[in-house]
């Protein structure tokens, strides 16, 4: 006698039948749930075996498949099994007799006593009783059948369990064999995870710096921290699908995707792939026309080898038949272990090795020496609102309430226009570059009429919203914005200003359509709801047209008797820049230059010249207005400069963040604050000369200070802090007394600690009206 699972060489024919049934009647997926409940009631001894079987199969029979379908299903299982049995052999299964006869016609069968109407047949007996009545000389069954119908019966000693092409005389022997198989497969998965980790570590960052990449392999801890995430995903795939090949592919696909994204990020942005970048996946896919996302040919060969190896290993490793509750319990243990590792290793800075033990080293270098997988997981904490050490909400509130909210005086109301310029940098500040004076003539003229300085951002080549939103919030570090957030925009709303955010790009980019509303802007203008219809229906609206329209918006607001607060974010000069150039050279050719990078810098300067000229035209128009206007503009970050910053290297610009010069070259962009004649008459202090080097968080506090405004309580906190710590840089770098440091003095530490607490309070406690805060 042989059971149907063994006859068809299946783990569970009943499950296969359910899947087949739902393929033709998918709307009846709901039957799975009462089937499970029925099974639970049987397991709890609330139903006897016969009642359970009748209730279970009735769901199939109420809306049955035709006999023809079940016969086709049986033939398909038979063809796949390659197992033949003698005509005299009984085939037993916990399937109704009439259905069993369709699956294995012309066979001697022993099934459930249930008729085609789903009713119990007269004198029905349990399957175990029917087998005992036949008294078979031998019984060969699957582990499932043995556990359900044979275990602890009189014919247990005559039964052999067939699984993994082996026969077992006891269930204990079968379990021991499965445990050995499982452990062997786990070891194989770890070996595949290790091989995948090594290969993808090189894929992710070797093109950036091979020497730094090799540092990973000098530390057993770092190697393990990069292997384990891949192994865990492989193990989860194995426990869920019980297939070695699928399990390996789950881990490999994850590793390959993260490694390739990291490769492209380092190539195009000189910055690695972090957890927070996942939310920008749609943006990246829509930027495909600007960047090439095709990896080197050798990467395709490596990926092919990995995938083929997964298939080969899976082909030779036998699948275990662990029970579902064992797999579920193991999944739970994997989850608990993963949480422990996250909290005690992956998110702990002490294990995140410094590149060359240099706290000044660039983030990308530190990312590479720790391995892309460990570093990516470590970056999860960067997307959280981290509670400062020793934080006390009451103390932070008290420190904030020490300041008194102040309205803008009626005789000092000004229009405030802020413009963030895409990838705007003044390359003429590097004296070794003989750039045509006409490129920055407009910028320099406006700067001479106002106050010009350096803005120390924390981004390079991308991530524009980091600078953009720090200006609006006054935060030194951005956290996820998922709802209404305290910002300076709300202060202007409270002062009865008209507030608008304007960007001639897509509203979905960086989720601006929602986040700028969360920041308090009354209206937001994007290409789809404004610029295409009212300014220019082109891919990139020139800055000249953006600025001309901005003046129109200002005039319209002032005509209504209101003042205007605006942030405009431009698109012109967005990278990458073509490696072909046929215009007038704005930078003389020098020996040692190469054609591609020379084209990049000249294409960039050509666009910047247009922006520079447009800025001068804008200030000329604003100066002719009777209404007082303050204008501030800045670059959001340095421009893209070829793969691995090849253009900067060609120009001899030091970007080594281990030096103050390199750090400032990497992160600093120009800013200018300017006022028209009408504004100068009522401002407390005119914009003139060289302005301080500041973080984006201080842009609006600088304007408020010159205008003679105090503003909200938080604004006053920043006004007082700026003199002590004017720059909050990347990874605990600070500008103090003109020098960058990672070790501020005692008084500065106290000021930073106090500010961190107040900043966290502002992030975590939204105030609809700061005027009412006490």
């Amino acid at each position: 006698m042989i059971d149907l699972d063994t006859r068809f060489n299946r783990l569970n024919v009943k499950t296969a039948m359910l899947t087949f049934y739902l393929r033709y009647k998918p709307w009846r997926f709901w039957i799975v749930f009462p089937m499970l409940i029925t099974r639970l009631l049987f397991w709890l001894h609330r139903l006897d075996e016969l009642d359970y079987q009748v209730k279970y199969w009735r769901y199939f029979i109420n809306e049955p498949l035709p006999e023809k379908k079940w016969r086709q299903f049986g033939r398909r299982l038979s063809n796949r099994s390659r197992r033949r049995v003698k005509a005299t052999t009984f085939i037993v299964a916990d399937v109704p007799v009439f259905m069993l006869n369709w699956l294995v016609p012309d066979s001697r069968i022993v099934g459930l006593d249930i008729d085609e109407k789903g009713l119990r047949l007269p004198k029905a007996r349990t399957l175990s009783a029917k087998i005992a009545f036949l008294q078979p000389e031998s019984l060969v069954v699957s582990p499932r059948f043995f556990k359900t119908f044979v275990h602890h019966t009189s014919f247990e000693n005559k039964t052999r369990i067939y699984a993994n092409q082996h026969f077992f005389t006891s269930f204990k022997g079968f379990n021991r064999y499965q445990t050995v198989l499982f452990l062997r497969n786990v070891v194989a998965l770890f070996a595949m995870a290790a091989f995948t980790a090594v290969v993808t570590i090189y894929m992710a960052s070797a093109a950036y710096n091979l020497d730094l990449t090799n540092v990973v392999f000098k530390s057993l801890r770092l190697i393990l921290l990069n292997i384990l995430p891949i192994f865990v995903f492989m193990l989860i795939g194995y426990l869920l699908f019980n297939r070695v090949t699928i399990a390996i592919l789950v881990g490999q696909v994850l590793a390959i995707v993260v490694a390739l994204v990291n490769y492209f990020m380092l190539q195009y942005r000189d910055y690695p792939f972090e957890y927070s970048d996942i939310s920008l996946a749609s943006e990246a896919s829509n930027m495909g026309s600007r960047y090439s996302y095709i990896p080197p040919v050798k990467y395709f060969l490596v990926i092919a080898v990995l995938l083929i190896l997964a298939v080969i290993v899976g082909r030779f490793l036998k699948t275990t038949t662990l029970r579902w509750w064992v797999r579920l319990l193991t999944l739970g243990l994997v989850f608990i272990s993963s949480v422990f590792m996250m909290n005690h290793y992956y998110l702990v800075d002490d294990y995140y090795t410094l590149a060359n033990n240099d706290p000044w080293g660039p983030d990308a270098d530190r990312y590479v020496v720790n391995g892309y997988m460990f570093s990516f997981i470590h970056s999860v904490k960067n997307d959280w609102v981290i509670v400062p050490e020793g934080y006390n909400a009451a103390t932070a509130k008290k420190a904030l309430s020490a300041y008194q909210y102040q309205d803008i005086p009626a005789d000092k109301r000004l229009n405030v226009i802020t413009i963030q310029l895409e990838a705007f940098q003044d390359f003429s500040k590097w004296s070794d570059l003989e750039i045509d004076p006409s490129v920055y003539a407009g910028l320099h003229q406006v700067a001479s009429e106002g106050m010009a300085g350096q803005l120390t951002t924390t981004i390079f080549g991308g991530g524009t919203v980091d600078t953009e939103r720090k200006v609006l919030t006054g935060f030194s570090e951005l956290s996820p914005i998922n709802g209404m957030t305290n910002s300076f925009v709300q202060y202007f709303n409270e002062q009865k200003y008209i507030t608008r955010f304007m960007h001639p790009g897509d509203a979905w980019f960086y989720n601006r359509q929602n986040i700028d509303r969360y920041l308090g802007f009354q209206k937001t203008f994007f290409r789809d709801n404004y610029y295409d219809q009212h300014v220019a229906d082109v891919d990139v609206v020139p800055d000249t047209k953006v600025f001309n329209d901005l003046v129109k918006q200002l005039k319209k607001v002032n005509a209504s008797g209101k003042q205007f607060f605006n942030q405009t974010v431009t698109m012109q000069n967005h990278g990458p820049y073509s490696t072909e150039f046929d215009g007038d050279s704005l930078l003389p050719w020098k020996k040692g230059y190469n054609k591609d990078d020379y084209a990049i810098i000249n294409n960039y300067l050509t666009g910047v010249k247009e922006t520079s000229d447009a800025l001068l035209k804008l200030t000329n128009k604003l100066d002719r207005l009777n209404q007082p206007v303050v204008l501030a503009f800045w670059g959001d970050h340095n421009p893209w400069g070829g793969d691995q910053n090849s253009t900067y290297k060609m120009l001899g610009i030091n970007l080594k963040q281990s030096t103050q010069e390199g750090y400032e070259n990497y992160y600093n962009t120009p800013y200018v604050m300017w006022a028209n004649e009408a504004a100068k008459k009522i401002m407390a202090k005119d914009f003139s000369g060289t302005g301080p080097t500041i973080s984006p968080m201080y842009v609006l506090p600088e304007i408020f200070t010159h205008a003679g405004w105090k503003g909200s309580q938080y604004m006053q906190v920043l006004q007082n802090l700026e003199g002590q710590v004017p720059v909050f840089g990347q990874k605990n770098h600070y500008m103090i007394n003109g020098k960058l440091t990672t070790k501020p003095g005692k008084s500065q530490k106290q000021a930073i600690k106090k500010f961190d607490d107040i900043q966290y309070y502002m992030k975590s406690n939204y105030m609809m009206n700061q005027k009412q805060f006490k």
Side-chain angles (χ1 to χ4, degrees), residues 185-202:
N185 289 354
V186 169
V187 171
L189 290 178
F190 185 84
M192 286 300 300
F195 181 72
T196 302
V198 171
V199 170
T200 51
I201 283 171
Y202 280 109

Side-chain angles (χ1 to χ4, degrees), residues 3 27 103 125 128 169 199 248 261-262 279 297 326 335 430 433 460 486 561 573 594 603 626 630 749:
D3 80 312
W27 60 90
L103 297 178
R125 291 175 294 174
S128 299
T169 57
V199 170
I248 295 173
V261 174
N262 193 70
S279 62
V297 174
V326 176
F335 175 77
W430 290 293
L433 303 179
F460 181 94
N486 293 314
N573 305 317
N594 66 79
N603 280 312
N626 294 324
V630 166
K749 279 185 178 179

Side-chain angles (χ1 to χ4, degrees), residues 136-181:
E137 294 183 0
S138 68
L139 181 61
V140 179
V141 296
S142 67
R144 179 189 72 86
F145 195 92
F146 181 90
K147 190 72 174 176
T148 306
F149 299 104
V150 178
H151 202 31
H152 300 310
T153 63
S154 59
F155 46 90
E156 181 175 351
N157 294 332
K158 298 179 181 180
T159 303
R160 290 185 298 167
I161 300 171
Y162 182 79
N164 304 112
Q165 300 178 1
H166 279 71
F167 289 96
F168 304 92
T169 57
S170 69
F171 205 73
K172 286 184 179 180
F174 162 75
N175 277 335
R176 282 194 296 269
Y177 185 76
Q178 296 306 308
T179 302
V180 172
L181 278 187

Side-chain angles (χ1 to χ4, degrees), residues 97 330 345 661:
V97 173
T330 308
Y345 290 93
E661 178 193 30

Side-chain angles (χ1 to χ4, degrees), residues 265 268-272 274 276-277 280 283 287 291 420-423 457-471 478 509-510 512 569 574-575 634-640 667 696 730:
M265 293 277 285
Y268 295 132
R269 284 185 51 190
D270 196 39
Y271 204 79
E274 293 194 336
S276 59
D277 294 316
L280 305 179
E283 283 85 340
M287 294 290 282
Y291 299 96
Q420 180 164 289
L421 302 169
E422 173 60 39
T457 71
T458 55
I459 53 177
F460 181 94
T464 183
V465 291
D466 187 84
T467 304
E468 172 185 323
R469 291 168 185 167
K470 284 176 179 175
V471 170
L478 276 187
F509 205 64
Y510 289 114
R512 283 189 175 101
V569 176
H574 199 296
W634 61 88
D636 57 351
H637 53 70
N638 266 301
W640 174 84
Y667 287 119
Q730 186 69 285

Side-chain angles (χ1 to χ4, degrees), residues 7 38 277 324 339 353 403 407 440 497 520 584 591 605 633 636 641 680 687 692 763:
R7 165 65 183 85
T38 304
D277 294 316
W324 66 268
V339 171
T353 306
Y403 299 90
D407 294 315
Y440 292 107
Y497 272 59
D584 297 327
K591 184 179 180 180
L605 292 174
F633 59 84
D636 57 351
K680 291 177 182 178
F687 293 120
K763 288 180 178 180

Side-chain angles (χ1 to χ4, degrees), residues 124 186 223 229 247 311 475 528 607:
V186 169
I223 294 173
V311 175
F475 296 154
D528 54 346

